[in-house]
Amino acid sequence: MSRTPHAFPCRRPTPGTVAVVAPYGDDNGHLREYSRLGWNCVAVALPDHERPAAHRDHTVHIPGYPTTVVYSGMRRTLKKLAARQVDLVVAGSGLGVELADCLAYFLGLPGNDLGTTFLRTNRAVQATALGDAGIASAASMYSTDVTDALRWADMVRFPSYVVAAADSSVTAHPAVCSTPDGITTAWHRARRAAQHQTGSGNVLLQQHVPGPQYLVQTISGSVPGEHLVSAIWAETRTDTRVHDRSELLDRCGPRSRALSLYAQRVLPVLGIDHGAARLRVAWCEQRGPVLLSARAFAQSSPADDYSPSVSHIAAVARAATTAGFGRASASRERAVMRVSLAAPVDGCALDATLLRTISTLPTLTHIIHFAQPGRPLRKTLDRASSPGELVLTGAARAVEEDYRLIRSIEQVGLYEGQCR
């Protein structure tokens, strides 16, 4: 592709018209946040034959958006967006990162370098780039053939490995394995998820880094080196790697400062000079922060929709609206926690009375979902199979007390029939 931009005028990123590229799976989060700040929103949809199976439906038009432009080749699409006087281009999902980079470049709008797009979408390439720059990362490889992965594992001989889709936008949770059989089983599962969600068959095998994990949300400006950490979430998982809770970290704490400094070093290496990113970072006691993956698009995070002051999409939209970061930084006036319920066995069910007790907790801000009381549940293996998710907000001590009460209620009988 020619790198000579078309002669479209470059406009200042103030409220005007934003093109959201491939906004699949964000529940209209970009539309909601940008519209709230006065932007006109245009969805850029991929044609049906270019969308992976997970995102095909009966129409290419994006529900909720007042205007949808269907990608029909670079030149035609650029003309359509220029006619609508687009002032800003953002990726609405991982599927939109590459196209958003291209559209922004040829429209003469702020964006990231086309030559480094792969660094923003492939976990293994990200790890290699960081290692070459002398920054802590997890050793990784990727391939479409599990034989390559088994050969690599036999060569490096780590105690355990993470198997996941190489594309960092795939939502299927990575698996931790320590045997060839485990790697093979997880590999085929990850490949099916990757093909379904992105159309790519590349699978990653990565050194497993033990320790707590964090989601570091960032915004980068048009000035080189201008990066802001808008929020950091600490994730806690059970021994079986099921999500337990996510907490918004105090930005003044030493762990937050260390993660922020690490993010500032990582972003330029990944070619993230403009827009949003979300880094998943493990904390290794021997090495400090270690990047596991990066996603170069604004994305909802635990409890975002119910705590607008820490919404990643809202922070990015505000930064673009003010042509600077301004107040894009997340508020720390109160603690925010998202809690996942976990059914212990197949066939148990939620007790209606105890469920009502949970729903009256003083710090409960929102119930993301509850399974129907009395309905048989499956054992919780991941977020998708959790029978309930809740958002708690308030004073840190009160939130912690209510979290512990929820776990106590689970132990004393929330799940009917769990001993059967």
Side-chain angles (χ1 to χ4, degrees):
M1 179 185 295
S2 170
R3 291 184 57 80
T4 302
H6 292 263
F8 295 117
C10 180
R11 287 174 288 275
R12 185 169 174 260
T14 53
T17 299
V18 56
V20 184
V21 183
Y24 303 125
D26 83 329
D27 193 28
N28 283 345
H30 287 79
L31 173 65
R32 185 167 55 251
E33 299 295 359
Y34 279 93
S35 296
R36 187 178 295 165
L37 292 171
W39 289 82
N40 299 315
C41 295
V42 176
V44 179
L46 305 179
D48 191 69
H49 68 277
E50 291 188 12
R51 277 179 286 153
H55 303 289
R56 290 179 188 157
D57 53 24
H58 298 296
T59 176
V60 293
H61 293 279
I62 309 296
Y65 281 81
T67 304
T68 298
V69 170
V70 181
Y71 180 76
S72 53
M74 185 60 66
R75 189 174 297 274
R76 289 181 180 179
T77 305
L78 288 167
K79 287 182 177 179
K80 292 177 184 177
L81 295 179
R84 289 166 174 79
Q85 296 187 315
V86 166
D87 302 279
L88 186 66
V89 179
V90 299
S93 67
L95 292 174
V97 171
E98 182 175 7
L99 181 55
D101 286 348
C102 290
L103 292 173
Y105 179 79
F106 287 114
L107 284 168
L109 298 173
N112 292 313
D113 183 3
L114 298 184
T116 60
T117 296
F118 210 46
L119 286 171
R120 295 184 289 280
T121 57
N122 186 298
R123 301 174 198 247
V125 175
Q126 291 167 359
T128 300
L130 291 180
D132 291 345
I135 299 174
S137 63
S140 307
M141 64 81 66
Y142 73 103
S143 174
T144 57
D145 189 345
V146 68
T147 304
D148 294 336
L150 293 173
R151 188 180 299 117
W152 185 77
D154 185 61
M155 179 180 68
V156 296
R157 295 184 180 275
F158 293 125
S160 56
Y161 305 86
V162 171
V163 180
D167 191 317
S168 62
S169 67
V170 175
T171 58
H173 193 71
V176 177
C177 310
S178 56
T179 66
D181 287 346
I183 291 172
T184 301
T185 300
W187 183 277
H188 293 303
R189 187 183 302 118
R191 194 163 193 267
R192 287 194 297 270
Q195 287 279 9
H196 182 65
Q197 293 185 34
T198 68
S200 168
N202 284 317
V203 178
L204 163 104
L205 189 64
Q206 185 177 67
Q207 174 190 11
H208 175 230
V209 180
Q213 293 188 12
Y214 300 88
L215 297 179
V216 183
Q217 296 179 310
T218 69
I219 309 166
S220 300
S222 55
V223 178
E226 184 183 37
H227 306 293
L228 170 76
V229 173
S230 62
I232 301 176
W233 295 87
E235 282 193 350
T236 304
R237 295 184 177 273
T238 65
D239 292 340
T240 57
R241 297 188 57 77
V242 174
H243 180 266
D244 175 18
R245 68 187 196 179
S246 296
E247 304 169 76
L248 186 66
L249 281 193
D250 182 348
R251 66 177 55 256
C252 295
R255 184 62 56 91
S256 288
R257 291 197 295 271
L259 290 166
S260 295
L261 290 172
Y262 180 77
Q264 298 276 350
R265 297 179 62 204
V266 166
L267 294 171
V269 176
L270 301 184
I272 299 174
D273 299 314
H274 181 82
R278 190 183 81 162
L279 313 180
R280 179 173 288 277
V281 180
W283 188 276
C284 178
E285 290 303 324
Q286 291 77 29
R287 302 166 66 188
V290 177
L291 182 74
L292 302 180
S293 66
R295 297 180 178 183
F297 57 96
Q299 182 179 17
S300 293
S301 166
D304 274 5
D305 287 344
Y306 316 109
S307 301
S309 65
V310 296
S311 166
H312 194 204
I313 295 176
V316 176
R318 284 197 299 272
T321 299
T322 59
F325 293 145
R327 297 178 58 194
S329 182
S331 169
R332 270 307 281 139
E333 295 177 355
R334 57 181 180 171
V336 182
M337 182 188 294
R338 195 204 75 200
V339 180
S340 295
L341 301 181
V345 295
D346 288 338
C348 61
L350 292 174
D351 177 84
T353 301
L354 291 177
L355 203 59
R356 282 195 295 271
T357 299
I358 289 177
S359 67
T360 61
L361 292 175
T363 67
L364 180 62
T365 303
H366 190 85
I367 298 170
I368 298 177
H369 75 268
F370 271 157
Q372 188 70 26
R375 179 175 296 178
L377 303 171
R378 297 190 62 186
K379 180 178 179 179
T380 300
L381 300 175
D382 51 28
R383 275 188 60 192
S385 56
S386 169
E389 294 190 11
L390 312 95
V391 178
L392 309 180
T393 62
R397 185 171 182 176
V399 166
E400 182 67 24
E401 288 176 353
D402 281 355
Y403 162 76
R404 294 184 182 279
L405 182 56
I406 291 169
R407 295 305 182 215
S408 296
I409 291 173
E410 283 187 301
Q411 292 295 320
V412 301
L414 178 61
Y415 303 103
E416 296 175 328
Q418 68 183 76
C419 296
R420 288 204 301 262

